[in-house]
Amino acid sequence: MAVTIGAHVSSSGGIYTAVERAVAIEAEAVQIFPSAPQMWRPTRHRPEAVARFRELREQHGIGQVWLHNIYLANLAAEDPAQLDKSVDSVANALRVAEAIGADGVVLHTGSHRGRGFDAVVEQVVDALRRTLDAAPGEAMLALENTAGQGGTIGARFDEIGVLLRAVGSSRLALCFDTCHAFAAGYDVARPEGLDATVEEVAREVGLDRLAVVHANDAMMELGSGRDRHENIGDGHIGLEGFRGLLAHPAFADRTFILEVPGIPPEGGGKADGPDLENVRRLRALL
């Protein structure tokens, strides 16, 4: 197998439109939101739209498909009502993933808001178990490493490892975000830093649990703790950093999903997320 280059795209107008948008920018894999990322209310995907998604995916040979859960979820929430809504949102995303034949759901696990990881770990483990029980099937749940701002869980890989071992489900995995790792102090831009990072992931999580990679350059400096994505080659990781990531044996057969801001159009206007230029920049480094 070889590295696959994909992108997070919109599914506005019907979930199947995500495949069309991915094909338009030469993406070989796709990530979408199951519903509006800043709203609790889930989108009701029509059966014909789900069927059309599956049909187009097969027709165009799209590889992995991932859903990214909504941003509001926090499995470490102190408010019981918010915790229940968070569990429901992840379970809904897993059910959508199962329906469209996706590989799984990427999750920002949440924030302890300064209370510390140890204070919330039992609650998060219970919430993850509840979520998986509420959405049986084969779709994976990949916990994403974080930049560390705001007390977010998973800035260190040992925290993700603790959760995976405690829950004990083969459906739990790791989503490795390059920008978040760099912001959290892992120098993935340099060979020795990348090797050390991979060694830590192998020790704390297990490389067999590395399910998908979010390929994002970093706008802020190493260890900034700030989650600010940049286009490939325009940030502090840089082209050589991504060349090293793509060539590293730990990532040899993984899917790299772009979540970059995109290149502004000539003559002005707003960039529109992962685009053909970023896909080609990343592919040219293979």
Side-chain angles (χ1 to χ4, degrees):
M1 294 179 66
V3 168
T4 303
I5 307 299
H8 183 104
V9 297
S10 170
S11 59
S12 176
I15 196 167
Y16 60 89
T17 64
V19 178
E20 298 166 343
R21 291 185 176 98
V23 171
I25 60 171
E26 299 179 0
E28 304 164 314
V30 65
Q31 178 179 276
I32 56 176
F33 290 119
S35 53
Q38 301 288 2
M39 295 178 61
W40 287 114
R41 182 169 56 85
T43 299
R44 303 298 179 190
H45 299 287
R46 294 177 291 112
E48 55 269 33
V50 169
R52 182 63 174 156
F53 181 97
R54 285 177 169 267
E55 179 185 350
L56 286 173
R57 178 188 184 182
E58 183 175 359
Q59 178 184 330
H60 292 287
I62 295 295
Q64 287 199 347
V65 173
W66 288 88
L67 275 66
H68 194 302
N69 197 57
I70 64 171
Y71 293 137
L72 300 176
N74 181 8
L75 300 189
E78 292 185 80
D79 176 30
Q82 186 184 8
L83 176 60
D84 287 344
K85 288 195 292 187
S86 298
V87 169
D88 288 345
S89 78
V90 189
N92 172 71
L94 283 168
R95 287 190 286 267
V96 175
E98 199 72 28
I100 67 173
D103 293 82
V105 174
V106 173
L107 174 66
H108 293 178
T109 309
S111 170
H112 54 67
R113 306 202 185 280
R115 290 178 291 160
F117 178 71
D118 291 344
V120 300
V121 62
E122 289 188 12
Q123 174 182 311
V124 174
V125 167
D126 178 68
L128 288 168
R129 287 174 175 158
R130 286 171 54 196
T131 300
L132 294 171
D133 287 345
E138 298 181 1
M140 301 286 290
L141 182 58
L143 308 185
E144 185 172 350
N145 63 302
T146 66
Q149 62 188 31
T152 49
I153 294 166
R156 312 307 300 179
F157 291 105
D158 64 310
E159 293 183 353
I160 294 177
V162 165
L163 295 175
L164 266 60
R165 288 189 293 275
V167 175
S169 171
S170 60
R171 293 174 65 196
L172 273 189
L174 165 68
C175 169
F176 182 97
D177 188 295
T178 58
C179 171
H180 297 176
F182 191 82
Y186 295 98
D187 191 0
V188 297
R190 299 195 309 160
E192 56 269 33
L194 178 58
D195 285 342
T197 302
V198 168
E199 288 174 9
E200 185 170 328
V201 172
R203 180 177 67 252
E204 300 294 346
V205 179
L207 293 179
D208 60 322
R209 293 297 187 97
L210 174 54
V212 64
V213 179
H214 281 173
N216 303 305
D217 213 329
M219 186 179 294
M220 311 305 291
E221 67 278 1
L222 178 67
S224 70
R226 298 180 65 187
D227 179 7
R228 297 292 300 279
H229 297 188
E230 182 55 283
N231 294 311
I232 300 299
D234 292 344
H236 289 274
I237 298 176
L239 293 178
E240 287 307 308
F242 278 98
R243 193 189 307 276
L245 280 155
L246 290 163
H248 198 286
F251 303 104
D253 59 352
R254 298 308 197 272
T255 294
F256 281 60
I257 301 284
L258 289 155
E259 297 179 317
V260 293
I263 311 296
E266 290 185 15
K270 185 180 178 182
D272 191 27
D275 48 24
L276 180 59
E277 173 64 22
N278 274 281
V279 170
R280 287 181 173 175
R281 284 185 188 184
L282 203 56
R283 185 170 289 127
L285 299 173
L286 286 171

